[in-house]
Amino acid sequence: MSIMFPMKGQIVFLLLLEFVWSATVTYTIPASAPTTATALDPAPLGISFEFFAFPSYFLNVTGTNQCLKNLKELTGTWPPIRIGGTTQDRATYDASSSAYVTYSVASPLDAPASLTFGPKFMDLASTYLGTVVMGLNRGHDDIANTIAAAKVASDKMSNLLAIELGNEPEYYTSDKQPIALNAGTWTPATDAESQDDWDIRVGSALHRNLIIQAGNSNDSPPKWGAVELIATENSTAKSYVHDYAHHNYPGGTLTTLMSHSNIVSNLAIFEPEVAAVSDEGKEYVLGETNSVSGGGAATVSPLFGAAVWTMDYMLRAAVLGIKRVYYHHGTVGKCFYCFWGRYSMGAPYYGAYAATAAMAGGSSIVSLDEGSTNYGGYIVSDRDGTPMRVLLLNSDFYGGGGSRGSQTFVLSGLTGGKSSAKRLSAPSANSRVDQGGNPSFGGQMFANGTCEVRGEEVWEMVDVVDGNGTFVVGASEALLVYLK
Ligand SMILES: *[C@@H]1O[C@H](CO)[C@@H](O)[C@H](O)[C@H]1NC(C)=O
Ligand SMILES: *[C@@H]1O[C@H](CO)[C@@H](O)[C@H](O)[C@H]1NC(C)=O
Ligand SMILES: *[C@@H]1O[C@H](CO)[C@@H](O)[C@H](O)[C@H]1NC(C)=O
Ligand SMILES: *[C@@H]1O[C@H](CO)[C@@H](O)[C@H](O)[C@H]1NC(C)=O
């Protein structure tokens, strides 16, 4: 076409073309998922509930059931949950207690230093319609008490996926946990020896193979992690392990958290872990994770930029073969990263919802980019390998005020005359729901308190010309393109 221009015009045209092309990100959508695509779990996005707070979330927080149900409506599978955290290693099972949990705290916003729980705790967990990972105590070095609790869980819970024996054991020394004090020294090696021993003793007491979610460290691998742990396990210990879990809280500022390239490099540390676990024929999960440790950071975790992180982090984890990601929910009323609370929605829920919508019903996922810039995308394909959806994201930070930048994406290889898309957006990356900054996904929002979907769906239609479609994604936004 350019050869038809006169000399001068041609130069102008080529310069313009170069400018346009350098500013545009082009991805080719294959007719069929590549063989390198990663298999997806039916419900990869899960929720972790802090052990002592679990009964409150289900009995005293109105939105919990609906927030979980909204995700189930997308995938057909209730999101997996995990019950655990620091307070699992402070909890004692009391067979005679008629309470879910018993503890006393100086302020309702404190986590208890010790607590007991009764059989009803497991009754409540058994009512959940999705799978449950139950975190039990190893720190107290009271295996008889843990086996008693594990037996009640195993007997009552048909939804029990796995049991954890201890949470973040690398902190047992600083937490003055009896098991570390009794051992004298507490290192990755002594912890691994302890985990293997407990896996065998608890698994054999339950007469159940493949019942332990092992690992559960937060300190970075390879010092603490599956590679290190697997090397210490004999075949008896391995026979009781269902899967391996690690915890992860990337932290940082909102801008560094949401950056696509940072997400890709943050998660890359788990690649050898996933590979080692896969060699064992087992699954690898992020058993507890969220934006910033310790309940989150006020200036990061409740803001819409953390929703962009939640979404991208989930999809990137799935690409790496991390089967499930359990986003942690801590003390009710003191939890900046929580997806919902008693009175208000959290912006990150919108990212979780968009990620779940992107993967729903999908069989495999593949990344469209190398993770070297703020822009990226994913293709989710169905059982037959046909691409179903493309998620496009622009993780440039837009803090509000001034004009919002945008990134143009051209997708080639599309079929049909039009593509439809739903946008994940908010007034800015700094938007916070309880301060009036409602995000939306496909034009819809979630009601404070109840988590019910509000508003009509908004579909954006984009023309496809010769298999190409042009999509514009604003800074701190994402667009989910539905291909069929
Ligand atoms: C629910 O909240 C009420 C009132 O704050 C409290 O008395 C009760 O113990 C809570 N129940 C649970 C399971 O947290
Ligand atoms: C694995 O180690 C445990 C504890 O040391 C031992 O009881 C068990 O017999 C070992 N299993 C095998 C297959 O060697
Ligand atoms: C949630 O509550 C905040 C303030 O409390 C309000 O500004 C916002 O509009 C509410 N969101 C929805 C979706 O109703
Ligand atoms: C469609 O995209 C391909 C690949 O980027 C490009 O080569 C082709 O010129 C485009 N066609 C149109 C009509 O834009």
Side-chain angles (χ1 to χ4, degrees):
M1 202 166 87
S2 58
I3 53 167
M4 297 180 71
F5 281 75
M7 193 60 179
K8 208 171 156 199
Q10 187 179 3
I11 291 165
V12 172
F13 177 80
L14 288 173
L15 286 173
L16 190 66
L17 195 72
E18 189 178 31
F19 171 76
V20 170
W21 281 104
S22 63
T24 299
V25 174
T26 303
Y27 298 130
T28 302
I29 308 304
S32 188
T35 51
T36 51
T38 313
L40 280 172
D41 190 79
L45 188 142
I47 306 290
S48 167
F49 293 101
E50 182 61 42
F51 191 90
F52 85 96
F54 156 69
S56 289
Y57 272 102
F58 279 78
L59 299 169
N60 266 357
V61 178
T62 312
T64 299
N65 188 60
Q66 190 62 43
C67 277
L68 294 164
K69 192 174 172 198
N70 292 337
L71 303 176
K72 183 256 174 186
E73 305 276 295
L74 293 170
T75 63
T77 303
W78 285 84
I81 68 167
R82 173 260 187 172
I83 299 165
T86 308
T87 58
Q88 86 187 57
D89 277 315
R90 299 178 184 175
T92 302
Y93 176 62
D94 177 359
S96 69
S97 171
S98 60
Y100 297 102
V101 281
T102 306
Y103 58 83
S104 64
V105 283
S107 146
L109 299 183
D110 287 348
S114 73
L115 69 149
T116 62
F117 60 101
K120 269 173 75 177
F121 190 93
M122 301 304 174
D123 285 322
L124 182 62
S126 78
T127 63
Y128 184 59
L129 295 169
T131 64
V132 181
V133 172
M134 181 62 70
L136 298 177
N137 194 327
R138 185 159 51 99
H140 284 182
D141 205 10
D142 183 351
I143 198 166
N145 188 265
T146 293
I147 287 174
K151 280 186 170 164
V152 182
S154 182
D155 290 348
K156 288 180 184 276
M157 295 171 61
S158 61
N159 56 354
L160 182 66
L161 184 68
I163 288 171
E164 291 176 10
L165 298 171
N167 175 78
E168 301 178 0
E170 62 271 36
Y171 307 130
Y172 279 173
T173 303
S174 53
D175 289 347
K176 301 193 170 45
Q177 285 285 5
I179 200 161
L181 301 180
N182 294 343
T185 55
W186 193 254
T187 63
T190 49
D191 170 65
E193 194 186 330
S194 160
Q195 289 212 29
D196 298 345
D197 177 43
W198 280 56
D199 292 352
I200 294 171
R201 288 160 74 189
V202 174
S204 59
L206 298 178
H207 308 292
R208 278 179 84 157
N209 288 320
L210 305 177
I211 189 62
I212 305 298
Q213 178 160 297
N216 310 301
S217 283
N218 183 51
D219 242 16
S220 298
K223 187 177 179 194
W224 295 85
V227 171
E228 177 262 331
L229 185 56
I230 289 167
T232 70
E233 290 172 341
N234 68 17
S235 61
T236 314
K238 283 180 183 178
S239 72
Y240 292 109
V241 175
H242 175 269
D243 65 281
Y244 295 82
H246 211 91
H247 297 182
N248 189 40
Y249 290 90
T253 65
L254 189 58
T255 311
T256 63
L257 178 78
M258 68 187 278
S259 148
H260 178 59
S261 53
N262 284 353
I263 289 170
V264 171
S265 57
N266 174 252
L267 286 171
I269 194 168
F270 298 109
E271 283 181 65
E273 298 275 290
V274 177
V277 167
S278 166
D279 287 347
E280 297 294 319
K282 293 189 178 163
E283 294 179 336
Y284 190 79
V285 306
L286 290 176
E288 184 191 306
T289 189
N290 220 320
S291 51
V292 184
S293 64
T299 54
V300 176
S301 305
L303 309 181
F304 179 68
V308 175
W309 170 80
T310 300
M311 179 201 68
D312 192 7
Y313 180 78
M314 175 67 249
L315 297 172
R316 183 67 197 172
V319 166
L320 296 182
I322 296 172
K323 275 288 163 192
R324 289 174 293 283
V325 176
Y326 297 83
Y327 290 85
H328 197 52
H329 285 59
T331 310
V332 179
K334 193 188 175 189
C335 185
F336 290 117
Y337 50 51
C338 279
F339 291 179
W340 65 91
R342 266 203 182 93
Y343 310 110
S344 177
M345 288 303 299
Y349 183 73
Y350 288 81
Y353 189 84
T356 304
M359 296 183 292
S363 192
S364 71
I365 186 166
V366 66
S367 191
L368 281 166
D369 67 291
E370 300 295 324
S372 52
T373 71
N374 275 352
Y375 321 110
Y378 302 89
I379 308 176
V380 172
S381 301
D382 69 13
R383 213 178 8 188
D384 303 323
T386 309
M388 302 164 77
R389 298 181 203 104
V390 176
L391 187 120
L392 299 172
L393 68 97
N394 176 351
S395 68
D396 281 347
F397 179 80
Y398 172 64
S403 67
R404 190 174 200 154
S406 67
Q407 178 59 49
T408 299
F409 294 86
V410 173
L411 298 183
S412 67
L414 302 178
T415 55
K418 281 189 188 299
S419 284
S420 51
K422 280 187 171 184
R423 190 171 298 268
L424 175 69
S425 192
S428 82
N430 287 323
S431 294
R432 191 174 152 157
V433 176
D434 60 355
Q435 295 172 358
N438 293 307
S440 61
F441 177 65
Q444 295 183 305
M445 298 177 184
F446 301 94
N448 293 314
T450 65
C451 209
E452 277 161 1
V453 181
R454 289 277 186 269
E456 294 300 312
E457 282 184 336
V458 175
W459 289 94
E460 299 178 29
M461 304 305 288
V462 169
D463 287 331
V464 175
V465 178
D466 286 348
N468 294 0
T470 301
F471 303 86
V472 180
V473 183
S476 309
E477 273 192 349
L479 191 71
L480 182 57
V481 183
Y482 291 69
L483 301 179
K484 40 182 265 185

